[in-house]
Amino acid sequence: MLCIKKILENYFLIKSLTQKKMTFQSTWFLLIAVLWIGYFILEGFDFGVGVLLPFVSKNEADRRAVLTTLGPVWDGNEVWVLVAGGATFAAFPEWYATLFSGFYLPLFLILTSLIVRGVAFEYRSKYGKAQWRQRWDIAIGISSFIPALLWGVAFANIVRGVPIEKSADGNLEYVGGFFNLLNPYALLGGVVTLTVFLTHGAIFLSLKTLGGIREQARKFAIKIGLVAAVAAVSFLVWTNLMLPELNATVLVLSSVVALAWVAGLLATLKIREGWAFIFSAVAIATFVADLFYALYPRVMPSSLGAQFDLTITNASSTQYTLKVMTIVAVIMTPLVLIYQGWTYWVFRKRVGACQILHPERGVLDTATHI
């Protein structure tokens, strides 16, 4: 009864705030959360497929088929993180500055990995030499593994809190080092995102491929999904224990994550890949929403004291800037969503190794020079 009462109180509080005054700061905090949800759902299976490439493929035709599932969508999926970063820079410049200065090395590694990954996708099939392609396959695997792990480490540190204090010039700055970020809670967060993305990618492959690739991907989804379930439950329990008081909404969201994930694994067992992908996407979306809800109204808590927390108020841009951003977002966001949805619809069919003609050939192998 106490839990239900708390949920109702939170609901009516949010409803009243929405009706009376939804501030631009709250709106953009919500929009940034939505951008990260979209990124983790879409780029999450990208990373999973990249890491699984050598494990679900027996020959070159299989590898070409696996990469073909990503070909039309991978670069569009990465746009979500670019928009999330740009929105953070414009709406909450103090958050952006503290985040990118304190998390410089892990974010640099992520950025480098994304660059290498994009180059690998484009260059891999230029030549048919086995050694050429093998090297790019290794690059795809490593450059998919690093972001899948480090995004979890970064977000776990944001939720946990990092050493932030006021500098001599009055600004709130990160004062820790790189190894402050490698704490047990953050590393567990990295394991969660890695295993969740691997499972999500395996489910995506089972949905988008035929034959042996589909069967191998389904087996991997079930095995890795169980590991991800244990890691995610441990992480969510730890997160709830760190909160200053028991939060009923966070508990409910955590329960939804667990139920959606279990439903996704059961759907995979029943060979209902479409439902499995929907449930895994719901689990990821709810998981990210849970973390952002636990943060609000903070954007980067300080482990040195609440007086040093970065919040949506002290880290935000001016009201005029946020107003202009909101107008642009209202106009452009539906267009982007329609275009990306259309892309997925056009390339919705399954891909099989039997459909790849002359997989051993590269596009430049037979090029003539004038």
Side-chain angles (χ1 to χ4, degrees), residues 33-350:
V34 170
L35 290 170
W36 281 108
I37 288 172
Y39 177 68
F40 278 179
I41 291 174
L42 299 177
E43 191 79 328
F45 71 72
D46 264 8
F47 292 144
V49 171
V51 177
L52 291 172
L53 174 63
F55 302 102
V56 297
S57 310
K58 294 181 180 180
N59 50 50
E60 181 58 28
D62 284 352
R63 287 187 284 273
R64 289 285 295 272
V66 168
L67 293 174
T68 299
T69 64
L70 298 180
V73 298
W74 69 266
D75 49 352
N77 294 343
E78 286 189 358
V79 171
W80 287 77
V81 74
L82 297 176
V83 178
T88 304
F89 172 77
F92 302 103
E94 292 291 335
W95 182 13
Y96 182 92
T98 304
L99 179 66
F100 275 78
S101 60
F103 291 33
Y104 180 82
L105 183 55
L107 291 176
F108 175 79
L109 291 174
I110 290 172
L111 178 60
T112 303
S113 297
L114 294 179
I115 294 172
V116 171
R117 192 165 171 271
V119 172
F121 282 143
E122 295 295 335
Y123 277 44
R124 183 194 180 278
S125 297
K126 296 299 183 185
Y127 293 103
K129 293 183 179 179
Q131 189 178 38
W132 170 269
R133 293 184 174 181
Q134 184 180 23
R135 288 173 177 173
W136 286 119
D137 288 345
I138 294 172
I140 290 172
I142 295 175
S143 60
S144 298
F145 176 89
I146 291 175
L149 178 71
L150 291 184
W151 278 130
V153 173
F155 267 85
N157 273 296
I158 292 174
V159 174
R160 173 180 175 267
V162 292
I164 299 174
E165 66 178 10
K166 188 168 291 187
S167 63
D169 56 4
N171 293 322
L172 293 172
E173 295 180 354
Y174 177 80
V175 293
F178 172 71
F179 292 101
N180 288 99
L181 305 178
L182 302 180
N183 53 80
Y185 176 76
L187 293 175
L188 177 60
V191 172
V192 170
T193 53
L194 175 62
T195 52
V196 165
F197 290 166
L198 283 172
T199 307
H200 194 47
I203 293 173
F204 174 79
L205 278 179
S206 68
L207 174 65
K208 289 288 293 178
T209 57
L210 299 165
I213 303 173
R214 180 184 181 186
E215 289 302 314
Q216 282 291 103
R218 193 169 65 85
K219 292 177 182 178
F220 272 108
I222 295 170
K223 292 177 181 178
I224 304 173
L226 293 174
V227 178
V230 174
V233 169
S234 302
F235 182 81
L236 289 172
V237 169
W238 197 340
T239 302
N240 279 277
L241 292 175
M242 287 195 312
L243 296 176
E245 61 180 10
L246 186 64
N247 191 305
T249 305
V250 174
L251 289 175
V252 170
L253 290 174
S254 300
S255 300
V256 172
V257 173
L259 291 173
W261 194 253
V262 171
L265 294 182
L266 291 175
T268 304
L269 279 172
K270 296 290 186 179
I271 318 181
R272 302 294 299 273
E273 290 100 342
W275 282 108
F277 187 80
I278 290 172
F279 281 124
S280 67
V282 169
I284 293 172
T286 311
F287 181 81
V288 179
D290 198 0
L291 297 183
F292 272 89
Y293 185 87
L295 271 177
Y296 185 83
R298 303 165 299 171
V299 292
M300 281 193 76
S302 173
S303 58
L304 302 180
Q307 69 272 24
F308 300 125
D309 287 350
L310 283 172
T311 68
I312 61 171
T313 303
N314 64 15
S316 73
S317 293
T318 64
Q319 289 291 104
Y320 180 77
T321 300
L322 296 176
K323 182 178 180 180
V324 172
M325 289 175 60
T326 303
I327 295 172
V328 174
V330 168
I331 297 172
M332 298 302 299
T333 301
L335 298 177
V336 174
L337 292 177
I338 291 171
Y339 173 77
Q340 192 162 22
W342 176 79
T343 303
Y344 275 92
W345 175 255
V346 169
F347 296 100
R348 66 189 181 277
K349 293 184 178 180
R350 292 180 181 270

